[in-house]
Structure formats: C-alpha cells, structure tokens
Amino acid sequence: MKQKFTYFVVGCICIMAGVCGTIIVYRTYPQETVTKTVQDVTLHETNTIKSAIDKIYDAVVVVEEYDTKGNLIGTGTGFVYKKEGEKGYILTNHHVIEEAASIKVLTSQGKEIDAALLGSDEYSDIAVLSIAADEVLQVASLGDSTNAELGDTVFTVGSPLGSKYIGTVTKGILSGQNRKVTVKLSTGSFIMDVLQTDAAINPGNSGGPLLNINGEVIGITSLKLVQDEVEGMGFAIPIELAMASIDQLENGEKIIRPTLGVQLATLDNPYLLRNYQIQIPNNVKNGVVVVAVENGSDAAKAGLQKGDIITKIEDQEITESSHFKYILYQYSIGNTITLTIIRDGKEKTIPVVLTSSYGQ
C-alpha cells in the first residue's frame, strides 16, 4: 500500500514539473506566427503562336471550284492579300481553279461569296481572285522568305479535305530553301523554286499561306509539288516569286515568257536520238539536244541547228529539258542570252536575241 502511494506522489510531481516547464518556456521565448497567403496565379504559355494566328485567320478562305452545271468539283485555300477600292484580292494556286467554270469562296465565318478570276499562270502556279471589298474580314501581312532561316518556326492555315476542316492550323519548321522541284504541267515538265517545310500540308491546303512566327506570309503552299509516297515534306512558293507578276495577273494580262522555238531531247533518250539520226560524243555528259528548229524562231535566226547540244545558258549548266526551260524563263523578252553549244564535237557560243514576235 505504501509503495502505491509513493508511485502516485511521484507521478503527480512529474505532471506538475511538466506543466511548470511549459509555462516557463512559453513566457521566456517569443512564439512565431505563421500566416498563409493565397494568391491567384496566371500561367503564360511561351510556345504559343496564338497572336500570329490572329493576324491571318480571318484573311484565309476556302476556294470552291464549280463546273458548268454548278457541281462542286474541287476545293483549295486562298488568302486576302490586298483590299483596294471596291475589291478584295485573293491569292491561290492556279491548279486550284484551272478547271473552274465558276468560283466561290467561303470565309472563316462560314459565308459563301461569289469570286471572280482576274488572272492565273500555270508555270508559277499562281491565280488572283477578287471579291467585293465589303466582304473582306481581314487582310494578310506579307513578309519576305529571304529573311527566313532553316529551323525557323512556320505554320499554315488552310482547309484540308474541304470546308469540313476549314481554318485548320498546322505548325512546323522551315526545312529547306531554294529547293528545285519538277512538276508536271499540261505543256510538259517544269522546275520550280520552292520552300520546304514539315508542317502538315494536305489536299485542300493548296493556295493557302505559309507564315513565319510573326504571322507574315512568306509562301503559298502547293500540294501539287508533293509526291504521294513522301511524308513530312510540304512545299510552298516563295511569296516574292508570286508577287513578282502580281500586277499582270490583277489586270488579267498573260505573263509572256521567252521561247527559242526548238524541240529538245535529253542525253539519256538514245531511242529518240537514233530516230533523229543524232549521235552524242562520248565526252559530253550534260546538256540538251536540239532535234528540230522551227522556221522564223529566235533559234533559227541565231543559227541553231539540229544536232546542236546546248550545255549552258550564260554561265549556268543545263542538266535536262525542264531545267533548260527553268533557266530560260529567268530572262525577259528583249534580252540577249549566250548559249554554249557543242556542234560536230567542238564547243562554241551563240548569242540569241529573245523577241516577242515568236513565242507564247
């Protein structure tokens, strides 16, 4: 009994000691007060191109191609690049509207508008349309593709597969500059200078803008240049090339290009050359062969003959027929060009005056 009483007393003493110690510590040391503050946090996305999209989105339209019976036969994309007087001017691809009997455009707000074809050019693959100025929602800002660098962010706005996906935005990088791509035209093959991008470009995007991070148009997308078996390779016509002939197209004028008046064959077509009884020296590795010269043409006036092998225009070597046409079209009516040819195994140069009296 005495032992239990002793335990009780010791317990009470310990409790009292603890209470007293707590009071002493509380009074001796100041206590810290913790205040919790709740703030609203705004997140800023650094990788967005929203402001650039806002500069172009309402300038982009769906271009609808109709036949003589009023049936929709194809769609593409275009964009308003100018508003002047009573007209709004739209750029698109020639191949988007080349079979159209009539054309309509569909705005980003879903309004369908009649459009007039002012002019188009198969070689540059450019067409200019017009709509009433009061139907224009926005005008695109034009940039300069020569200021762009490989790896720069680029994006497209277009309507892949028609109006169902109107206003689709795709983003990528500028993958290549000064690419030369051979395209098939109604008059044969031709080489075009294009920009390359990995931004997704699908059927219906043709004629739409390729833009830089500032929302400025640096190219016109052209699906016509893409092969079915290739993925991640889209192409666009540099905006400078399109604008170089814009005045003529706005006024409905045909773009006149020089022509020599010759029929050409490539060195790797021995069957055709045998038919024309033309033999190629073994040491000739590049150029195109003249198989016929038309009477009264610039070539005939300059003295070109059947069997001549044209190896250069000025200082640019010729690889094949479409390349020859590509180089020739860099010159204008009235220019004089120097051709380097091989005739009877000997090299010589011939000046040719490009005139407007013969040609397109």
Side-chain angles (χ1 to χ4, degrees):
M1 188 70 180
K2 183 177 181 180
Q3 187 176 10
K4 291 182 178 180
F5 178 76
T6 301
Y7 289 156
F8 175 76
V9 172
V10 171
C12 290
I13 293 173
C14 290
I15 292 171
M16 292 298 294
V19 172
C20 292
T22 300
I23 293 172
I24 293 172
V25 170
Y26 183 81
R27 291 180 176 179
T28 303
Y29 299 99
Q31 302 300 304
E32 294 183 0
T33 300
V34 179
T35 302
K36 294 183 178 181
T37 302
V38 178
Q39 288 182 309
D40 291 331
V41 178
T42 302
L43 297 177
H44 297 282
E45 186 178 355
T46 59
N47 196 34
T48 183
I49 58 172
K50 183 180 183 303
S51 61
I53 295 172
D54 290 342
K55 294 180 181 179
I56 184 66
Y57 197 81
D58 288 330
V60 179
V61 297
V62 180
V63 178
E64 299 177 328
E65 182 184 29
Y66 291 86
D67 63 15
T68 54
K69 296 181 180 179
N71 299 314
L72 181 64
I73 57 175
T75 63
T77 303
F79 61 93
V80 179
Y81 69 92
K82 186 172 75 170
K83 179 180 177 181
E84 187 175 271
E86 298 180 352
K87 292 181 179 179
Y89 295 82
I90 296 172
L91 266 173
T92 187
N93 285 142
H94 167 82
H95 75 264
V96 168
I97 53 81
E98 63 182 331
E99 297 180 0
S102 62
I103 303 169
K104 297 180 184 293
V105 298
L106 190 66
T107 70
S108 60
Q109 294 183 356
K111 184 175 182 180
E112 194 173 60
I113 305 165
D114 290 328
L117 175 62
L118 298 181
S120 66
D121 179 61
E122 183 179 24
Y123 286 102
S124 60
D125 199 20
I126 297 299
V128 176
L129 313 177
S130 70
I131 58 175
D134 57 5
E135 300 286 5
V136 173
L137 302 179
Q138 189 177 28
V139 178
S141 298
L142 303 185
D144 186 344
S145 72
T146 62
N147 292 331
E149 297 182 355
L150 293 180
D152 282 355
T153 296
V154 295
F155 69 98
T156 72
V157 182
S159 304
L161 306 179
S163 59
K164 181 179 180 179
Y165 297 102
I166 184 173
T168 296
V169 178
T170 61
K171 187 177 77 166
I173 63 169
L174 185 63
S175 307
Q177 296 170 293
N178 302 314
R179 300 298 199 205
K180 291 177 174 54
V181 180
T182 301
V183 297
K184 300 294 184 181
L185 307 178
S186 61
T187 55
S189 60
F190 183 63
I191 292 178
M192 295 183 69
D193 280 316
V194 293
L195 305 170
Q196 180 186 338
T197 179
D198 64 349
I201 298 176
N202 296 292
N205 276 107
S206 294
L210 178 72
L211 306 110
N212 61 23
I213 196 66
N214 297 319
E216 299 168 330
V217 181
I218 62 170
I220 303 173
T221 59
S222 184
L223 184 67
K224 187 176 183 178
L225 308 180
V226 182
Q227 298 176 1
D228 292 338
E229 64 270 21
V230 176
E231 295 184 5
M233 291 180 65
F235 297 99
I237 302 161
I239 192 63
E240 301 80 33
L241 295 184
M243 299 306 292
S245 55
I246 204 70
D247 290 340
Q248 294 100 304
L249 296 181
E250 286 180 359
N251 293 316
E253 299 173 2
K254 187 174 182 179
I255 298 174
I256 303 299
R257 293 182 171 87
T259 182
L260 292 184
V262 293
Q263 182 179 343
L264 301 174
T266 55
L267 298 178
D268 60 356
N269 194 341
Y271 178 77
L272 179 61
L273 295 177
R274 280 197 301 270
N275 283 346
Y276 282 99
Q277 299 179 335
I278 296 174
Q279 292 186 339
I280 305 300
N282 293 331
N283 62 334
V284 176
K285 303 301 180 184
N286 70 283
V288 289
V289 185
V290 177
V291 296
V293 180
E294 296 193 34
N295 294 331
S297 67
D298 292 343
K301 295 174 183 177
L304 278 175
Q305 301 175 7
K306 173 184 172 182
D308 287 345
I309 304 169
I310 305 173
T311 59
K312 292 181 182 179
I313 297 180
E314 296 296 336
D315 59 350
Q316 300 188 69
E317 291 191 351
I318 305 301
T319 56
E320 37 86 19
S321 299
S322 58
H323 186 236
F324 174 85
K325 190 182 298 183
Y326 165 77
I327 300 298
L328 181 64
Y329 285 179
Q330 295 176 13
Y331 298 91
S332 303
I333 302 299
N335 291 160
T336 298
I337 59 173
T338 299
L339 302 181
T340 300
I341 69 169
I342 295 176
R343 179 182 295 169
D344 299 327
K346 297 180 180 179
E347 186 177 270
K348 63 181 298 185
T349 58
I350 295 179
V352 181
V353 179
L354 303 176
T355 74
S356 57
S357 61
Y358 179 87
Q360 292 178 302

